Amino acid sequence: LVGSGPKADAVKRRRRTSAPAAPAATAAAAAPAEPVESHDIWIDPAAVSHSGRGPQAPVAGADPRPTLGGAITGLVSKVLAKPPVRKIARDLGIDLADVVPTGARGEVTREDLVSYQAQRDAELDKADTFWGKTGRPQEQRIEKIPVKGVRKATARAMVESAFAAPHVSIFVDVDASRTMEFVKRLKASRDFEGIKVSPLLILAKAVIWAAARNPSVNASWVDAKDGSDSAEIHVKHFMNLGIAAATPRGLMVPNIKNAQDLSLKELALALNELATTARAGKTQPAQMQGGSLTITNIGALGIDTGTPIINPGEVAIVAFGTIKQKPWVLDGEVIPRWITTLGGSFDHRVVDGDLSARFMADVASILEEPALLLD
């Protein structure tokens, strides 16, 4: 009962004459029962049922004011289960109170434990998937990953570049069929035996060649250090060719120093070493410094093209899309050709629309006819 009111009258029971009283019961007469008060909640012991036998009188000699905890404890029934079942539950770490009993007398059976364990295993298996336990609140199903190391440095650099350099992007579709034929011949050549050769090698050579014809794409915009609004454009007469690489540590852009001095075979070896080192997570900070122009090979992931963000300290980046066979009009006929799409992003403070278009056209011309590299 909850609330307040007059105290109940004393409860008295007639003395039994047919059965001898227990030793403890003969020590004192029955005492009147009074409500147990605990703040604004009180319980009348006479109203508490024990094992379905109705109100029970206080035990003679005992405190006529039982505690609240004792009264409530008397209402809790014990989970029924045979000893072997209890042992199995202990071994499995199962709380019998969590198991729904199906026994004839309301007891937990061995089958109940098997069913409960199977359900628990299914939930654990489901929790091992990406989506986790769908029954849990969403705020408990959020994985929090600290941003640090390479990821933190990359994020800071990308934000700085995206909001400091006004980007402009252009795209061009290229018939790279002759590049594919050239790569096939290089793979069969004895000079390139044991060396991995891909269309990226031809694109790298094309970028170096096109940058020599359009020097301002191989440059940097440098603000004055005194805080004034003056600035300089630093045109670099060397090519430290950056290759964006996805690694276990995050995105990295190591570069090949003085790539303009390398032969086609030397450039292939440098690309292979750069990729192997990056995938192994062994790229050194010095290898990522001093870049002058970058290539991102998104085609390796099956992507057609994109709008890449310029690497900080540079003014141009070229995205190399996947090469696919597509219908192409050649000499008035529609025939299947190996087609790719190049995307270029440029710092519009340095590279105007005309310059970016000429540079991309020069890169495309090498992919369409690699023999131009012999000029």
Side-chain angles (χ1 to χ4, degrees), residues 85 88 99-100 102 108-118:
V85 175
I88 295 175
V99 183
V100 178
T102 62
V108 176
T109 65
R110 185 190 302 266
E111 290 73 18
D112 295 336
L113 291 181
V114 173
S115 177
Y116 180 84
Q117 181 65 22

Side-chain angles (χ1 to χ4, degrees), residues 45-104:
V48 179
S49 174
H50 294 267
S51 305
R53 293 193 299 269
Q56 177 175 317
V59 177
D63 187 351
R65 299 172 60 88
T67 63
L68 178 63
I72 295 178
T73 303
L75 297 176
V76 180
S77 60
K78 189 176 182 180
V79 179
L80 298 179
K82 295 180 179 180
V85 175
R86 294 185 182 278
K87 183 179 184 306
I88 295 175
R90 285 194 302 270
D91 294 341
L92 295 176
I94 297 176
D95 186 352
L96 288 174
D98 296 335
V99 183
V100 178
T102 62

Side-chain angles (χ1 to χ4, degrees), residues 180-357:
M180 298 297 285
E181 295 172 0
F182 186 39
V183 168
K184 186 177 181 179
R185 290 198 299 270
L186 289 178
K187 289 180 178 180
S189 171
R190 182 179 301 177
D191 292 338
F192 284 81
E193 185 176 357
I195 301 175
K196 182 180 179 180
V197 179
S198 71
L200 178 62
L201 171 62
I202 311 305
L203 176 69
K205 201 67 174 177
V207 168
I208 297 170
W209 181 81
R213 291 165 56 90
N214 306 277
S216 292
V217 302
N218 191 48
S220 296
W221 176 280
V222 181
D223 291 310
K225 296 182 179 179
D226 58 5
S228 64
D229 59 355
S230 60
E232 294 179 339
I233 296 175
H234 293 182
V235 179
K236 304 168 186 176
H237 293 269
F238 57 87
M239 173 62 75
N240 289 346
L241 183 61
I243 306 294
T247 73
R249 297 167 56 193
L251 178 67
M252 294 184 177
V253 189
N255 58 75
I256 301 172
K257 310 297 185 186
N258 293 311
Q260 79 283 351
D261 295 334
L262 302 180
S263 65
L264 195 62
K265 181 178 180 179
E266 291 170 337
L267 185 58
L269 290 171
L271 286 171
N272 289 345
E273 182 180 0
L274 180 147
T276 302
T277 303
R279 282 194 296 267
K282 298 181 179 179
T283 302
Q284 300 301 314
Q287 295 176 281
M288 296 186 288
Q289 297 173 353
S292 55
L293 200 154
T294 296
I295 295 173
T296 175
N297 184 19
I298 58 177
L301 303 174
I303 305 301
D304 292 332
T305 189
T307 54
I309 296 178
I310 302 168
N311 202 34
E314 304 172 13
V315 298
I317 183 172
V318 177
F320 187 24
T322 185
I323 301 178
K324 299 178 181 178
Q325 275 200 321
K326 296 181 179 179
W328 191 260
V329 178
L330 186 64
D331 297 333
E333 296 183 6
V334 179
I335 58 177
R337 302 288 287 180
W338 291 100
I339 308 301
T340 187
T341 301
L342 299 178
S345 291
F346 303 89
D347 185 341
H348 218 343
R349 296 174 300 179
V350 180
V351 183
D352 297 329
D354 176 69
L355 176 58
S356 62

